[in-house]
Amino acid sequence: MTVNEETPFSSEEKLVQLQALLTQEDQTAVCDFFVDLPDTEIALLLESFPASDREKIWVCVPEDLKGEVLAEVGDDVRSALMSEMALSDVSELTKDLGAQDIAEILDTVHESVKEAVIDNLDDSTREQVQALHAYDDNMVGRYMDPSTVNIKQDVTLETVQRYIRIKGLLDETTQEFMVTDKDNRLVGSLGLVDLVKQNQEAEVSEFMHQSVSLLDEMNVHDAAVILRSKELRFAPVVNQEGILVGQLNIDHIMEITREDADNTLLSMSGVSDDEELFAPILSSAKSRGIWLGINLATAFLAAYVIGQFEAVLSQVVALAVLMPVVASMGGIAGSQTLTVIIRGLAMGQVGGNNRWWLFNKELWVGALNGLVWALVVGGVAQLWFDNWMMSLVITLAIVINMTVANVSGIAIPLLLRRMKIDPALSGAVILTTVTDVVGFMSFLGLATLLILT
Amino acid sequence: MTVNEETPFSSEEKLVQLQALLTQEDQTAVCDFFVDLPDTEIALLLESFPASDREKIWVCVPEDLKGEVLAEVGDDVRSALMSEMALSDVSELTKDLGAQDIAEILDTVHESVKEAVIDNLDDSTREQVQALHAYDDNMVGRYMDPSTVNIKQDVTLETVQRYIRIKGLLDETTQEFMVTDKDNRLVGSLGLVDLVKQNQEAEVSEFMHQSVSLLDEMNVHDAAVILRSKELRFAPVVNQEGILVGQLNIDHIMEITREDADNTLLSMSGVSDDEELFAPILSSAKSRGIWLGINLATAFLAAYVIGQFEAVLSQVVALAVLMPVVASMGGIAGSQTLTVIIRGLAMGQVGGNNRWWLFNKELWVGALNGLVWALVVGGVAQLWFDNWMMSLVITLAIVINMTVANVSGIAIPLLLRRMKIDPALSGAVILTTVTDVVGFMSFLGLATLLILT
């Protein structure tokens, strides 16, 4: 099947088709729709409907895919789908899944159901699931695939190939074999490509390479950054003793990469990273409400600053008219810098003495843009209100606010990081507070000094 | 080498080490630093220094990696590094590179250098480079790897394996073989895993599968979304006639995925997606200035609205004090919705009749949060200014503004998308304009009606 822009193929078009089928209430057609769809697409579709429609879709998901689909959907959707499920259903669903998927699904169910399901698993899967659950959910160990294909270094490539065929090992995602010693300590890895490409009489040791391995308790986001910077598609995972415990695959690296980028975007806008698009009204309202409350506190701080200048405001009402322009220009300039710096921090490009270079740069960018746009604002203000003194005041205030905004845009995320706080989460609100307060204070303060009679 | 949090290993720590070596002006130590570093990390380091330091680093990059590093760095950094390069240097650098890397590098050089370098290439590479350059830079064809390993369907797996070893085919990234007919038309593909795992006497046709193929002229961002939703690590690329022309690999899918997520973040903050962190002051100031100018126009629109209410402002100066609170709460509420919807659109989850469900949801989330926080603001205002009428006015204004903000947060991106404008780019500025104008108008308008005497 060849894909191009005209093929009815994109997720959105599939979604519209499924909506139409559901509206026609034709159960058979809905069920036919899922034949041949991969689990990942079914999961995305499930997430694209409000809870009320999900049940109608769920009954049509092919039985042999239900487990994988459940492992794939977000936590909220999974909880909703599983809330009514009997223990026997959960056992049935998890029967043929890998340890990773089972561990993921069991995170959502009641402790009692979880234990019962784990008891029903075969020995090796149970051990793997328990091993995964032993890690915190931001550790590499929680995301790794515990089943690896292990080989010894003193056998020939030909022997490895025969061994694989006899044992029926390898799944679609295998890219590397782990070379281990008799104590299961990692000594290197052999690429599937080399297994095929190289002289079959040679021993594994001749073509194995030292791969970058990850410690199981390492933070998985840091691990993803490292693997990405090296363009690695895979990494063995070892414990403190150097014993091989699993591998981290490209799919998970990609998933974590995308989640990290998403989370930055959501955090900066004050949305919780686990808010589902189709979450119920009350739950969305509650999760966004917290951020609104924090913002309100900072808005009142800005209002308090303005309140200190009531005298000049009551004398020159035009100040109230132009006031938001000063705050707004500072806010935009600051958030441009903030975004550039947060992205640079995420990529590991900001550190050591280049901070001072960047500081200096942002200071000048702020001052330069501040000057240019301050003159424009000053000009417009003069034409509008014909008050030379006020035009001078707003020109100065904008230069000050935009310069401070740019410097804050780099200082705030660096300080937050030193305090081990995620700059994406609180950077924006602190920055806005700074630009509002500095903006109103410089504008109304200068006005008090120069205009108030 | 095992990686954990304590290993001096992250990009940032590497960066600090290199900074220290450069400060000591110890050229040998700097050059030693690059031994064993992969091209991707060298590229990231080069991008982490201002232009003035880059030359000192560049001379230390191992000769055999310079080509790959150049292909890896951003356009701005590449232009700067290549600006002084002679034709012979460029030819030398590109000598051993793949067609994709050569095409990427030649995009940055002068037309005359480009033609000369292409003339010096061997026949097959020249053809591939010219084929890549024939595509627009948002097309799949521009990102594909034109060299594929093609096999016929009626040979045995064993024969394929022998053929590969004799020809020395396969590079590290090979995952699938293309099965083609005599006219080079794609008939399917065979996984490297299956080549090893399955019965070696069997023919390719028995284990080949129909893979999703992409049309060469398709938009590469759309292609990445599709491959991701199917968790595919690879796709063959064909032209209109069904002839195989190349393959899109996981590395490029991942790169495009990350770029898209990055671009959303940058666009929403009004930063150009090709602004380098260490770009010169003037160039950054200019690229951010445009956005500041657009914002200024909308800020003046808001100021104009306030200007219409000078009468009530001059009578009740407390209105000027509280005015920014109304605008700010609307702005935050709206941008929460905007972000959630832009993300949903990017994932293909918003479409068809679920828009109305989302509309309804956002309306209620806005009204609910509006009501809760309006009461809080009203209460604080009453305690502060002891003016019942004004407290009522601000309570009403906040309910109105937050409800309108949430509805605009979904309406604006949907409208922009229908007009084929990227909602991430202009959504935020339009939304702020709406929340400012509605906020000031409802607050000061109600005040005029209810308070002005």
Side-chain angles (χ1 to χ4, degrees), chain A residues 316-333:
Chain A
V316 189
V317 117
L319 291 173
V321 175
L322 291 175
M323 209 168 62
V325 175
V326 181
S328 159
M329 291 302 276
I332 297 282

Side-chain angles (χ1 to χ4, degrees), chain A residues 12 40-41 229-230 262 417, chain B residues 12 40-41 229-230 417:
Chain A
E12 194 182 328
T40 45
E41 288 192 65
S229 78
K230 295 182 175 295
D262 257 11
R417 220 169 75 116
Chain B
E12 193 182 328
T40 45
E41 289 192 64
S229 77
K230 297 185 174 292
R417 220 169 74 118

Side-chain angles (χ1 to χ4, degrees), chain A residues 3 12 40-41 161 165 170 196-197 213 229-230 233 251 262 269-270 284 336 339 343 361 417, chain B residues 3 12 40-41 161 165 170 196-197 213 229-230 233 251 262 269-270 284 336 339 343 361 417:
Chain A
V3 179
E12 194 182 328
T40 45
E41 288 192 65
Q161 283 220 21
R165 283 193 282 275
L170 296 202
V196 172
K197 188 179 177 177
S213 60
S229 78
K230 295 182 175 295
R233 297 157 170 227
D251 302 305
D262 257 11
S269 311
S284 284
Q336 286 176 331
T339 307
R343 183 156 158 272
K361 170 184 164 176
R417 220 169 75 116
Chain B
V3 178
E12 193 182 328
T40 45
E41 289 192 64
Q161 284 220 24
R165 283 193 283 273
L170 297 201
V196 172
K197 188 180 177 178
S213 61
S229 77
K230 297 185 174 292
R233 297 158 169 225
D251 302 304
D262 258 11
S269 312
S284 283
Q336 287 177 330
T339 307
R343 184 158 157 270
K361 169 185 164 175
R417 220 169 74 118

Side-chain angles (χ1 to χ4, degrees), chain A residues 175-231:
Chain A
Q175 296 166 294
E176 298 265 338
F177 303 96
M178 310 291 168
V179 186
T180 50
D181 67 11
K182 63 179 174 19
D183 301 321
N184 213 23
R185 237 174 277 274
L186 184 71
V187 291
S189 68
L190 176 76
L192 181 54
V193 165
D194 280 325
L195 179 68
V196 172
K197 188 179 177 177
Q198 307 298 352
N199 176 11
Q200 299 294 299
E201 257 87 87
E203 287 188 1
V204 168
S205 56
E206 201 171 323
F207 297 109
M208 79 176 191
H209 53 96
Q210 294 302 317
S211 40
V212 172
S213 60
L214 302 169
L215 203 64
D216 55 354
E217 297 188 342
M218 182 182 186
N219 182 295
V220 73
H221 303 280
D222 296 342
V225 172
I226 289 171
L227 296 182
R228 232 164 44 218
S229 78
K230 295 182 175 295
E231 283 196 351

Side-chain angles (χ1 to χ4, degrees), chain B residues 222-267:
Chain B
D222 296 341
V225 171
I226 288 171
L227 297 182
R228 231 164 46 219
S229 77
K230 297 185 174 292
E231 285 196 348
L232 293 174
R233 297 158 169 225
F234 140 98
V237 181
V238 298
N239 66 14
Q240 288 283 6
E241 285 81 44
I243 307 282
L244 180 73
V245 291
Q247 62 182 16
L248 196 64
N249 291 327
I250 182 87
D251 302 304
H252 281 100
I253 301 169
M254 202 155 146
E255 196 185 313
I256 295 160
T257 300
R258 242 218 12 212
E259 275 176 13
D260 285 350
D262 258 11
N263 288 354
T264 306
L265 179 66
L266 294 172
S267 304

Side-chain angles (χ1 to χ4, degrees), chain A residues 53-360:
Chain A
D53 287 328
R54 269 185 224 137
E55 271 305 317
K56 288 181 234 164
I57 301 174
W58 180 246
V59 293
C60 276
V61 174
E63 289 302 324
D64 58 329
L65 283 183
K66 279 190 167 167
E68 271 114 359
V69 170
L70 265 191
E72 195 77 32
V73 293
D75 288 353
D76 282 8
V77 175
R78 189 188 306 127
S79 305
L81 287 173
M82 294 186 75
S83 60
E84 306 279 286
M85 252 180 227
L87 172 60
S88 60
D89 293 337
V90 180
S91 279
E92 180 63 29
L93 282 176
T94 51
K95 196 164 44 95
D96 299 316
L97 293 182
Q100 269 184 307
D101 286 345
I102 298 177
E104 182 87 30
I105 289 177
L106 292 185
D107 273 345
T108 324
V109 300
H110 270 284
E111 204 57 35
S112 61
V113 176
K114 179 170 155 182
E115 278 166 28
V117 173
I118 289 184
D119 284 344
N120 283 339
L121 295 172
D122 64 79
D123 289 355
S124 89
T125 315
R126 179 167 54 241
E127 264 176 43
Q128 291 183 343
V129 171
Q130 283 168 337
L132 289 169
H133 274 149
Y135 296 105
D136 289 349
D137 69 355
N138 61 355
M139 287 181 181
V140 166
R142 193 68 186 70
Y143 292 82
M144 71 188 182
D145 181 355
S147 43
T148 53
V149 182
N150 302 355
I151 56 177
K152 302 285 167 234
Q153 57 177 319
D154 57 357
V155 295
T156 63
L157 300 190
E158 199 178 359
T159 312
V160 174
Q161 283 220 21
R162 255 187 296 121
Y163 171 75
I164 286 165
R165 283 193 282 275
I166 292 167
K167 293 273 187 180
L169 295 169
L170 296 202
D171 58 26
E172 274 176 66
T173 61
T174 311
Q175 296 166 294
E176 298 265 338
F177 303 96
M178 310 291 168
V179 186
T180 50
D181 67 11
K182 63 179 174 19
D183 301 321
N184 213 23
R185 237 174 277 274
L186 184 71
V187 291
S189 68
L190 176 76
L192 181 54
V193 165
D194 280 325
L195 179 68
V196 172
K197 188 179 177 177
Q198 307 298 352
N199 176 11
Q200 299 294 299
E201 257 87 87
E203 287 188 1
V204 168
S205 56
E206 201 171 323
F207 297 109
M208 79 176 191
H209 53 96
Q210 294 302 317
S211 40
V212 172
S213 60
L214 302 169
L215 203 64
D216 55 354
E217 297 188 342
M218 182 182 186
N219 182 295
V220 73
H221 303 280
D222 296 342
V225 172
I226 289 171
L227 296 182
R228 232 164 44 218
S229 78
K230 295 182 175 295
E231 283 196 351
L232 293 174
R233 297 157 170 227
F234 140 97
V237 180
V238 298
N239 65 16
Q240 288 283 7
E241 285 79 45
I243 308 282
L244 179 73
V245 290
Q247 61 183 16
L248 197 63
N249 291 327
I250 181 89
D251 302 305
H252 280 100
I253 301 168
M254 200 153 150
E255 195 186 311
I256 295 159
T257 301
R258 242 215 13 210
E259 275 176 14
D260 285 351
D262 257 11
N263 288 353
T264 306
L265 178 67
L266 294 172
S267 304
M268 287 188 75
S269 311
V271 184
S272 152
D273 55 11
D274 46 45
E275 184 180 327
E276 306 270 351
L277 190 56
F278 293 89
I281 294 170
L282 267 177
S283 114
S284 284
K286 209 170 124 193
S287 93
R288 298 193 207 162
I290 299 161
W291 196 247
L292 288 163
I294 296 171
N295 176 67
L296 183 59
T298 76
F300 269 123
L301 181 64
Y304 173 80
V305 171
I306 302 172
Q308 303 308 301
F309 300 99
E310 282 195 39
V312 74
L313 276 169
S314 62
Q315 200 177 320
V316 189
V317 117
L319 291 173
V321 175
L322 291 175
M323 209 168 62
V325 175
V326 181
S328 159
M329 291 302 276
I332 297 282
S335 78
Q336 286 176 331
T337 304
L338 182 71
T339 307
V340 170
I341 298 299
I342 283 179
R343 183 156 158 272
L345 282 170
M347 293 176 77
Q349 293 191 296
V350 180
N353 56 26
N354 73 18
R355 292 174 212 183
W356 301 111
W357 193 96
L358 287 170
F359 236 95
N360 186 56

